[in-house]
Amino acid sequence: MQPYILLVDDNDDLADNLKLILEMEGYKIRAVSCSAEALQVMHDEMPGLILADIVMPGTNGYDLFRQVKANCAWASVPFVFLSARTTAEDVNRGLRLGADGYITKPFTIGELLSMIQRYL
Amino acid sequence: MSQDFTSTQTTTTLLILAEIGEAISANLPLDTVLGRIVSALTRLAPSCHAVSIAIPDAACETITVRAAADGLGSPRVQRIGWICPVRELATVQTILSTRSLLYLPDTTQSTLWRSDLYPDNTAKAFLGVPLIMQEAIVGFLFIDFFTIDPITDETRYAVEAFARYAAAAIDNAQQRDNLRHSEERHRLVANLTSNAIYEWQPGSALVEWSNDIDSLLGYPPGAFPRTEAGWLAAIHPDDREQVKSARQAAVRQGTLFEAEYRMRRADGVYCHVMDRAALVAGSDHIIGAISNLTDVYNLADALINSEVRYRTIFARSLQAIFVVDKDGKVMDVNPAAETLTGRDYTQLASSLITDLALASELELYQDMLSQLRTQGEFSSREMRICKQDGSVAYIEMWGVALAKDVYEIVAHDVSERQRAQALAAQRTAELIALGDLTRAAAAGGDLFEMLQRALPGAMGVLEMSRGCIYLRENNNPTLRLTAYAGFGPGHKPAETLPLDAIHHGRATDLSPLVRIVEQPGRNGPDVSLQAPLIANGSVMGMVIFSGRGTRNVPFQDINLMDSVAHLLEIGVENIRLLGDLEGLVQERTSALMASEARYRSLIEQVPGIVYTAHAIYDGLTFISSNTTDLCGLSPQNLMYNPNGLLTLVHPEDLDWVRDQANRAIASGQDFDAQYRITKPSTGTECWVHHRARPITTLGDQVLWLGLLTDMTRLKELDSLKNQFVATVTHELRTPLSVIKLRAATLRNYYARLSDAERLSMVERISYQADILGALIDDVLRLAQLDGHSTERRIEAVNMVSIGGDVVEELRPAAESAGLSFHASWPDGRCLVHADASDIARIWRNLIDNAIKYTHAPGSLHVYAGCTEFDTNGGVQYRPSDHLTIPPDCLIVPSDLRPGRWVVGVVQDTGKGISEDDRAQIFTRFFRGEAAMTNIPGTGLGLSLVKELVEDYSGRVALRSQLGLGSTFTFWLPAINNESERW
């Protein structure tokens, strides 16, 4: 069974649109709007890739990353940040944490798809 | 003052000792020599109180002071001749028993010292020295000091040297006395023993002797045999026959018999006798007398020895010695006397000592002779002597009786000393006068006063009675009288002189400038010295001195005139320069003061610490007074703490700041750094901008001029700005990314999308574009407020209706967030003068904020109304107001003015604002905990509200409780004429 992509973003508008595109591209996708929801979903089923925003209400993206990587079962799941924080400092911080990728908003569909193809 | 004989005085000491040695060898009277010794000692030891020399009697039971001088070297006459028993003098007893020098460094501490013996003695220290000659103490040298100082080796050596000389002098005198005494004794003995008388008839066996024969030959009275045989037996065998035959011959011829022969004394020793006898006229008896010649022989030996010694001294002495009789007739002179007088032996031997006297001093000479005659001694006295060539020599003379009516007069030539003293006195006077002149010239002040002051000094130097100074005015060919002195009342020198007067008179070989003018005066001829005063190569004046009578102007005076003129030139030039300088100084001072004032006021205005120092962090020379605010230390504290500034630097910045400062100092380049410092008082951190620049001051000393400015606020703003930029960027990117993604989806997947999906895409794009627009609007609005370039349409607007529109606009968002949303509006209008869009923005930002920070199932309440506020009664409600605002929602700002106000209230039941955040909630870019909780926003909303409200002279107030919600109230001035209608 094809693993699903877990999208964590508080911007519903963006999430809706991404879901639409990725489904059209043949991916399975589940979109949640906060970290707590994401962790819940992951308990149900391990995703094949996590795309997560950083600036979110509640637990932010960095903390979500730490919690995911701290769990042995999930540690191997590729984690890609998807953020409007675009300075080099932000990107480096994300990558230094150990993230597998960092996509800055706004992004092109090509950028997103090539990142997904790298891990799925 | 020290009682040292300083090393520079060693030479003087030696010279004085040499003189004293000479005086001793010249057999000067003992008291004269000792007087010189004590006087010399006082002069050599500056802290000397008194010096005396005492001589003990033969049994050493008393001492007699023979010489005494006070601290200035003058004789202490009342002390001389003082006799004191040795048993009363513990000091002398000590010296006698130890036979060595006794030093009492502090007389008050000494048990040996008895000050009551010396009622006039206030000595603080005492030095007693035994005068020892051939192992016998012949005298004592006492020195009293009026200070308590340690005695140095040098002092001791000098004192001991003088002591040796004093001992030698005493011994010499005593030997002379002894000699004189023995001569007298022998004479007496000779007189007594010369008359052993005998009477004898030649052929008779018996001889009649006077008793003197027994004593002459050492027999008990009557023991010498009174026989011819006994007599002959006593005669030395070698002489016996000769005596016998000589006497027979004399008897036979009836002539005087005289013979010297030896006779055996009772003790067996032969003695010389002189036997003189004669035939008694008219009888065959002879009467003779025998006298003992042994003592006479010994006496002759002694006399010869003494004479030889005397002759040696006499001939070899450098002092002139005259031997004169009681009338002053010269009997003998030594070579030195010939030299002194310029006369030879024969000339002198036939003259009187008084012939050598100057007419004016004849009495002195006669006095000397009379003293010699009556006292046998004449003390040293300074007098003059006429030389053969008519010149005069200065001498010191003293005399002593050699024998009855025979006197020795010693003359010591002191002409050289006299000349040197006279010359020294003259030089001293000249120097003093020149010194006065120099001081007068250097004192500056008024030119005329200076010259007038200087003139008497200059006249004194040159021994001239009149002086005048002419100065040249403005390069005129005329010299004008400036100062004059010595002219009698009613007399005055010429008011002006032609410039060429400086060439008048006779030129001198010694100075190219000084000239001598001789002219007839009222009381005989006058002589004048004149010299031009020259400055910068041109004549600026002339100085003239004149005195009465022609005189041979000595070369010293020409030189002095040169010096005087030169000094006056300097004085005049000094005053002129000083005048210029004073003007310059005044000008510079006022400029400096102005610049100093400017500098000070500049420093006062500089917002930060200004300092100067030898290095960037060290050696502060100046620091402005405002240090406490910035770094928490007073200026004094920084001034006197080395590296005061450096100790404040934050530990994390210290290393690089110090490196950078050292590099700047090494290269002389400007220093510029921004770093943190920690205030020692509070421990708070702040940011400073530190700039320093090397400046070269007078004397090439490099000072650093430094400036420290507080940039904490700047750094905070900077940090807020960075946060803002990040936030704005993020907030702008979020809608932008949605728009881009939607647009890309439409483009890439257009064919696969349903019509409904395409429409939704476009609507979402439009919605996000609106958000983006509002956001941009916010930022722009703020920027406009900052620049005050807002173009507003101010009109009477109804805050209630605008609020209503905004509430409806935001109601969907509130409801979608699960919040209940209520608005309570008054019936009437609440009019304010404002731009409608600003009022809408105030409402929108407050309500939007409430929605964002309130979680479901919370609620929002919006109120508006109009009310009156006065200072006494607080808020007044009017019955007609139909005010819907609950009293507990109406928050009155502390600084609200009395008057009519339109009030808007937005209340939520959200998470509330912490006390810390409340203080900054209206600060631009501040987002409080939102920054952590990631609630979207720019941090501009509330600050924009506040700035807008206050721009319309209104006030914003806030009440909040964490976890329970917040209430924002804004007050805007109501329009009065409108107010009646609601």
Side-chain angles (χ1 to χ4, degrees):
Chain A
M1 199 175 85
Q2 191 194 6
Y4 71 98
I5 297 167
L6 177 60
L7 175 67
V8 192
D9 200 318
D10 63 325
N11 189 325
D12 295 343
D13 218 338
L14 189 86
D16 281 354
N17 199 91
L18 278 178
K19 199 163 182 272
L20 182 71
I21 293 166
L22 293 178
E23 277 170 354
M24 281 194 287
E25 291 295 333
Y27 294 104
K28 254 179 86 177
I29 181 159
R30 293 187 66 169
V32 295
S33 60
C34 69
S35 297
E37 215 179 324
L39 292 171
Q40 220 167 5
V41 170
M42 286 174 71
H43 274 293
D44 297 342
E45 186 186 349
M46 274 257 287
L49 172 67
I50 301 169
L51 294 173
D53 192 5
I54 291 171
V55 182
M56 290 183 291
T59 309
N60 65 30
Y62 296 131
D63 289 337
L64 175 66
F65 175 86
R66 286 192 196 95
Q67 287 174 33
V68 169
K69 292 295 175 185
N71 188 315
C72 297
W74 300 334
S76 60
V77 178
F79 196 112
V80 173
F81 283 118
L82 194 65
S83 175
R85 303 184 71 150
T86 57
T87 62
E89 200 184 328
D90 291 323
V91 175
N92 282 335
R93 184 177 172 195
L95 294 177
R96 262 205 314 277
L97 269 177
D100 300 279
Y102 197 111
I103 297 172
T104 57
K105 294 175 183 175
F107 50 86
T108 63
I109 294 171
E111 253 179 295
L112 178 72
L113 291 178
S114 67
M115 180 65 81
I116 291 169
Q117 279 156 14
R118 197 184 300 169
Y119 297 106
L120 288 180
Chain B
M1 277 246 212
S2 152
Q3 62 202 44
D4 285 359
F5 295 85
T6 65
S7 57
T8 51
Q9 286 177 321
T10 309
T11 323
T12 323
T13 311
L14 290 175
L15 284 174
I16 292 171
L17 284 175
E19 255 184 49
I20 290 169
E22 221 176 319
I24 294 168
S25 64
N27 282 334
L28 251 65
L30 178 61
D31 292 342
T32 306
V33 174
L34 296 183
R36 287 187 181 194
I37 289 174
V38 295
S39 169
L41 269 171
T42 57
R43 273 178 277 135
L44 283 174
S47 65
C48 221
H49 182 272
V51 180
S52 51
I53 291 175
I55 294 178
D57 60 31
C60 213
E61 282 169 351
T62 62
I63 57 165
T64 307
V65 174
R66 296 290 296 269
D70 63 19
L72 298 171
S74 309
R76 303 173 88 214
V77 183
Q78 73 277 17
R79 208 11 123 224
I80 296 169
W82 187 64
I83 300 173
C84 187
V86 169
R87 64 186 145 76
E88 288 183 16
L89 296 169
T91 49
V92 172
Q93 288 164 24
T94 309
I95 296 169
L96 278 170
S97 59
T98 60
R99 299 174 62 83
S100 67
L101 183 144
L102 171 71
Y103 182 55
L104 308 178
D106 184 355
T107 54
T108 59
Q109 299 296 313
S110 173
T111 51
L112 298 178
W113 188 253
R114 281 187 57 196
S115 59
D116 55 322
L117 277 177
Y118 314 94
D120 62 335
N121 198 331
T122 54
K124 296 282 191 298
F126 168 80
L127 182 66
V129 187
L131 307 179
I132 298 177
M133 204 66 202
Q134 289 169 349
E135 297 184 359
I137 293 181
V138 297
F140 303 92
L141 168 66
F142 305 123
I143 306 179
D144 301 339
F145 299 98
F146 57 74
T147 58
I148 299 172
D149 287 325
I151 189 163
T152 63
D153 282 349
E154 215 171 340
T155 309
R156 225 184 63 213
Y157 295 147
V159 169
E160 283 175 350
F162 277 96
R164 276 194 296 278
Y165 274 79
I170 293 168
D171 185 57
N172 188 36
Q174 282 174 351
Q175 292 308 317
R176 269 193 300 171
D177 279 356
N178 288 344
L179 184 62
R180 207 182 298 153
H181 287 150
S182 77
E183 282 166 14
E184 277 171 18
R185 209 166 44 240
H186 287 302
R187 233 182 352 256
L188 193 67
V189 168
N191 284 338
L192 285 172
T193 58
S194 61
N195 298 317
I197 313 288
Y198 63 91
E199 198 177 332
W200 179 55
Q201 186 180 10
S204 157
L206 289 175
V207 181
E208 195 166 325
W209 286 96
S210 74
N211 283 342
D212 296 319
I213 190 69
D214 300 315
S215 64
L216 189 139
L217 294 175
Y219 285 89
F224 184 69
R226 292 346 196 217
T227 60
E228 191 196 7
W231 185 1
L232 286 173
I235 295 172
H236 195 281
D238 295 349
D239 300 337
R240 202 175 293 150
E241 288 309 314
Q242 195 191 335
V243 172
K244 260 167 79 180
S245 58
R247 191 161 45 213
Q248 283 166 1
V251 168
R252 206 169 37 243
Q253 292 159 22
T255 55
L256 183 69
F257 164 72
E258 191 175 67
E260 272 185 42
Y261 52 89
R262 287 165 285 182
M263 283 185 82
R264 199 177 63 241
R265 285 167 48 92
D267 54 11
V269 175
Y270 285 91
C271 64
H272 290 269
V273 296
M274 162 69 85
D275 186 349
R276 272 183 273 198
L279 201 63
V280 178
S283 77
D284 55 351
H285 283 220
I286 54 171
I287 287 183
I290 286 179
S291 49
N292 191 339
L293 280 182
T294 309
D295 287 339
V296 176
Y297 278 172
N298 287 344
L299 186 63
D301 280 351
L303 279 173
I304 287 162
N305 284 343
S306 166
E307 178 70 8
V308 165
R309 213 170 95 200
Y310 176 74
R311 271 288 147 194
T312 311
I313 294 169
F314 187 75
R316 280 164 54 186
S317 174
L318 292 175
Q319 326 272 16
I321 301 174
F322 304 86
V323 180
V324 297
D325 69 7
K326 62 181 169 52
D327 301 318
K329 186 164 174 294
V330 177
M331 299 160 73
D332 197 1
V333 291
N334 69 348
E338 292 176 296
T339 312
L340 174 69
T341 57
R343 296 170 172 87
D344 64 22
Y345 186 87
T346 46
Q347 284 174 306
L348 283 168
S350 59
S351 66
L352 288 169
I353 188 88
T354 47
D355 292 345
L356 300 173
L358 284 176
S360 60
E361 287 184 353
L362 193 57
E363 248 177 70
L364 278 179
Y365 277 68
Q366 282 161 351
D367 189 40
M368 166 177 74
L369 285 174
S370 98
Q371 270 194 43
L372 280 174
R373 279 194 300 267
T374 55
Q375 295 164 23
E377 204 171 281
F378 167 71
S379 293
S380 139
R381 188 184 292 179
E382 243 177 54
M383 37 209 342
R384 281 175 287 179
I385 197 165
C386 272
K387 291 187 141 187
Q388 178 71 5
D389 61 6
S391 64
V392 169
Y394 287 85
I395 52 167
E396 263 179 7
M397 286 220 272
W398 57 88
V400 67
L402 287 180
K404 188 171 163 43
D405 294 343
V406 177
Y407 308 98
E408 177 195 79
I409 295 173
V410 181
H412 178 45
D413 189 351
V414 293
S415 300
E416 274 309 315
R417 195 168 83 193
Q418 207 70 29
R419 260 200 295 281
Q421 275 173 0
L423 201 66
Q426 193 192 339
R427 286 300 301 163
T428 310
E430 283 170 4
L431 284 174
I432 289 170
L434 275 177
D436 288 344
L437 180 58
T438 311
R439 270 192 295 283
D446 183 70
L447 179 65
F448 304 104
E449 272 180 30
M450 183 280 285
L451 292 175
Q452 203 64 58
R453 264 203 315 274
L455 262 182
M459 283 155 59
V461 173
L462 293 165
E463 293 178 335
M464 291 291 202
S465 56
R466 294 188 301 276
C468 48
I469 297 170
Y470 289 84
L471 287 185
R472 191 177 173 195
E473 289 172 336
N474 306 324
N475 291 330
N476 285 344
T478 315
L479 296 167
R480 182 166 294 280
L481 182 66
T482 310
Y484 62 97
F487 290 81
H491 297 279
K492 198 181 172 190
E495 195 61 49
T496 58
L497 284 179
L499 186 58
D500 60 7
I502 62 168
H503 301 302
H504 293 171
R506 173 158 54 86
T508 63
D509 296 338
L510 288 156
S511 165
L513 301 172
V514 177
R515 283 168 178 272
I516 302 169
V517 181
E518 279 150 356
Q519 53 192 180
R522 282 183 302 132
N523 304 318
D526 278 357
V527 65
S528 305
L529 286 177
Q530 64 174 54
L533 302 177
I534 291 172
N536 297 328
S538 66
V539 175
M540 65 168 176
M542 181 163 81
V543 56
I544 306 172
F545 294 98
S546 52
R548 227 162 254 154
T550 42
R551 55 180 191 149
N552 205 5
V553 179
F555 72 92
Q556 292 100 322
D557 282 9
I558 306 289
N559 283 343
L560 277 173
M561 182 67 188
D562 230 14
S563 306
V564 166
H566 195 53
L567 278 171
L568 288 172
E569 280 167 8
I570 292 169
V572 172
E573 198 57 14
N574 264 354
I575 287 176
R576 287 195 174 156
L577 282 175
L578 213 63
D580 292 351
L581 204 64
E582 270 170 9
L584 202 65
V585 165
Q586 219 149 31
E587 196 180 303
R588 289 278 159 84
T589 307
S590 61
L592 195 68
M593 280 169 73
S595 120
E596 173 77 7
R598 271 205 304 278
Y599 176 62
R600 291 274 160 195
S601 73
L602 204 65
I603 285 175
E604 292 305 318
Q605 284 166 20
V606 168
I609 301 172
V610 180
Y611 71 87
T612 56
H614 292 302
I616 294 172
Y617 284 104
D618 204 7
L620 278 176
T621 56
F622 164 82
I623 190 156
S624 56
S625 56
N626 56 343
T627 58
T628 318
D629 283 350
L630 179 52
C631 64
L633 288 178
S634 67
Q636 290 77 17
N637 207 327
L638 285 168
M639 202 76 178
Y640 300 114
N641 270 345
N643 288 322
L645 282 171
L646 203 58
T647 57
L648 302 175
V649 178
H650 193 283
E652 285 176 19
D653 292 335
L654 185 60
D655 285 344
W656 71 262
V657 166
R658 196 182 352 210
D659 285 352
Q660 194 171 325
N662 288 339
R663 273 200 305 277
I665 290 168
S667 64
Q669 302 282 311
D670 286 6
F671 171 78
D672 192 324
Q674 298 178 5
Y675 54 85
R676 287 164 292 173
I677 61 173
T678 313
K679 293 187 190 183
S681 47
T682 58
T684 50
E685 244 176 50
C686 60
W687 278 88
V688 293
H689 189 184
H690 186 174
R691 279 162 287 182
R693 163 169 297 180
I695 50 172
T696 305
T697 58
L698 281 177
D700 287 343
Q701 190 191 17
V702 172
L703 273 185
W704 288 80
L705 175 65
L707 172 67
L708 280 147
T709 45
D710 189 354
M711 54 180 309
T712 310
R713 180 82 194 118
L714 216 62
K715 278 281 174 189
E716 275 169 14
L717 283 177
D718 198 41
S719 148
L720 284 173
K721 197 179 77 190
N722 288 341
Q723 194 187 333
F724 164 74
V725 170
T727 309
V728 165
T729 310
H730 183 263
E731 292 304 307
L732 288 174
R733 276 175 194 279
T734 303
L736 189 66
S737 52
V738 176
I739 290 166
K740 277 195 78 175
L741 194 61
R742 293 276 181 200
T745 310
L746 270 178
R747 190 175 61 240
N748 293 3
Y749 306 96
Y750 188 83
R752 292 163 67 178
L753 295 171
S754 65
D755 281 351
E757 280 171 334
R758 286 178 197 146
L759 187 61
S760 165
M761 289 282 168
V762 175
E763 278 175 352
R764 296 321 294 174
I765 287 172
S766 171
Y767 172 72
Q768 291 292 348
D770 285 346
I771 291 177
L772 195 59
L775 205 61
I776 291 167
D777 219 27
D778 259 4
V779 175
L780 284 179
R781 194 74 194 153
L782 210 61
Q784 282 167 353
L785 267 179
D786 274 352
H788 297 286
S789 60
T790 322
E791 283 178 22
R792 289 185 173 129
R793 262 185 67 202
I794 306 293
E795 54 192 344
V797 294
N798 184 1
M799 203 170 76
V800 172
S801 62
I802 298 170
D805 291 347
V806 173
V807 166
E808 291 320 308
E809 177 192 323
L810 295 176
R811 188 177 295 279
E815 282 169 358
S816 73
L819 308 173
S820 64
F821 194 7
H822 311 282
S824 306
W825 306 116
D827 294 340
R829 300 189 298 173
C830 295
L831 293 182
V832 292
H833 272 134
D835 187 316
S837 66
D838 286 340
I839 303 300
R841 184 172 304 277
I842 292 166
W843 278 120
R844 188 181 295 117
N845 284 5
L846 286 175
I847 295 167
D848 188 49
N849 233 38
I851 294 169
K852 274 196 283 190
Y853 290 94
T854 309
H855 294 305
S859 66
L860 256 67
H861 246 102
V862 178
Y863 307 95
C866 190
T867 187
E868 176 132 354
F869 176 74
D870 67 51
T871 43
N872 299 322
V875 178
Q876 302 291 316
Y877 293 95
R878 292 191 173 195
S880 58
D881 282 354
H882 306 291
L883 192 67
T884 56
I885 308 173
D888 63 317
C889 290
L890 201 65
I891 305 149
V892 182
S894 55
D895 58 346
L896 194 69
R897 287 183 289 106
R900 294 192 150 280
W901 296 92
V902 170
V903 192
V905 178
V906 176
Q907 186 187 40
D908 65 55
T909 59
K911 56 200 298 179
I913 304 160
S914 72
E915 201 177 325
D916 287 348
D917 284 356
R918 274 207 293 279
Q920 297 188 67
I921 197 78
F922 294 109
T923 308
R924 272 188 202 185
F925 316 118
F926 179 79
R927 297 197 61 223
E929 289 172 4
M932 272 85 85
T933 56
N934 301 322
I935 294 168
T938 56
L940 291 174
L942 286 176
S943 64
L944 194 53
V945 166
K946 187 168 191 276
E947 285 175 37
L948 282 172
V949 169
E950 289 182 354
D951 221 32
Y952 288 116
S953 309
R955 289 287 177 274
V956 179
L958 158 70
R959 180 192 295 150
S960 184
Q961 219 176 337
L962 214 54
L964 293 177
S966 310
T967 305
F968 286 89
T969 311
F970 64 97
W971 301 68
L972 290 169
I975 298 173
N976 283 337
N977 57 354
E978 289 288 327
S979 64
E980 296 307 319
R981 286 194 272 148
W982 53 271

